[in-house]
Amino acid sequence: MKVPYVFNVQRFSVHDGPGLRTAVFFKGCPLRCPWCHNPESQVFGPEVMVSLGGRRQVVGRAYSVDELVEECSRDILFYDQSGGGVTFTGGEAMAQDLDYLLELATKLRAKGINVGVDTCGVAAQEAFAQMARQADFFLYDLKFIDAAKHREFTGASNALVLKNLELLASLGAVIYLRMILLEGLNADPDTIEATMLWLKNHHIELAGVNLLPYHRFGMDKFAKLGREATEFTTPGPDQLAEIIRQVARYYPGVTIGG
Ligand code: SF4
């Protein structure tokens, strides 16, 4: 079993699924989204970040399954009271060693802890099929319904993303779809409509749709990693209200964030 690197274990998160959660941020992702708000998550293995003042910080360390189970068990009381649990995120959770993920999920669930998986959808079908049996829900990112744009901006085609989404839906997984919104790239009415039609035509049942308007939070981290950052534009309030109305015609459980 290959032990993954983790760059953050964030307690009391309210952005990574229902209730109060502990978010385990795994290091390593097959995509290279230029708007990534955790660019330190992209490379597998430890990295050094250097602040403007020259302070060096090593990000990423290996955690054994039992170490994470112990760390994530500290807030069981809060999970119970809030309907929360633990979310595997990153980086890309599904790009980590599958045996490790399955063992971690199994041990957490044996303690009665709800387990969610945040994913960009780029991993083997077999991995999703197995994880669907051990996860309580998926936060599933769909960045571009258009294959060429997906490849241009993330570095990979969306073919596997769409196939895995269909697979999870066919297995009856609980799926919250997450859509980053980038003005001028994927937030126009035609693109939203094409996305909704694809989902409906492929019988994708969703527990909710979380709209994630672009924000600049990751830009300073790109600088600390010595990489160039790209700035995008957030859709305005009127446009967001229109997107909510448009999505709600197909999926009423639509929220900003989540
Ligand atoms: S899929 Fe997520 S973690 Fe990976 S590069 Fe894109 S935004 Fe960052």
Side-chain angles (χ1 to χ4, degrees), residues 29 31-33 35-36 41-42 90-91 120 143:
C29 182
L31 302 187
R32 288 292 179 270
C33 311
W35 54 80
C36 185
S41 73
Q42 293 178 342
C120 68
K143 300 166 196 307

Side-chain angles (χ1 to χ4, degrees), residues 114-192:
N114 172 287
V115 171
V117 177
D118 181 13
T119 180
C120 68
V122 180
Q125 292 237 278
E126 181 55 26
F128 276 99
Q130 291 199 44
M131 205 62 207
R133 291 197 282 272
Q134 289 304 329
D136 293 286
F137 67 87
F138 289 83
L139 303 176
Y140 202 100
D141 298 344
L142 181 53
K143 300 166 196 307
F144 294 99
I145 196 68
D146 180 83
K149 272 197 177 146
H150 199 282
R151 183 177 290 284
E152 178 183 353
F153 287 98
T154 73
S157 155
N158 64 2
L160 198 50
V161 179
L162 299 176
K163 269 172 78 173
N164 282 327
L165 182 54
E166 274 192 88
L167 174 74
L168 286 181
S170 74
L171 294 172
V174 176
I175 305 166
Y176 296 87
L177 194 81
R178 308 198 123 191
M179 296 167 58
I180 181 152
L181 297 174
L182 303 146
E183 166 64 21
L185 291 181
N186 66 1
D188 59 285
D190 287 351
T191 300
I192 300 292

Side-chain angles (χ1 to χ4, degrees), residues 48 50 221-228:
V48 176
V50 185
K221 293 187 182 177
F222 275 99
K224 286 179 181 173
L225 290 161
R227 296 187 220 150
E228 206 171 315

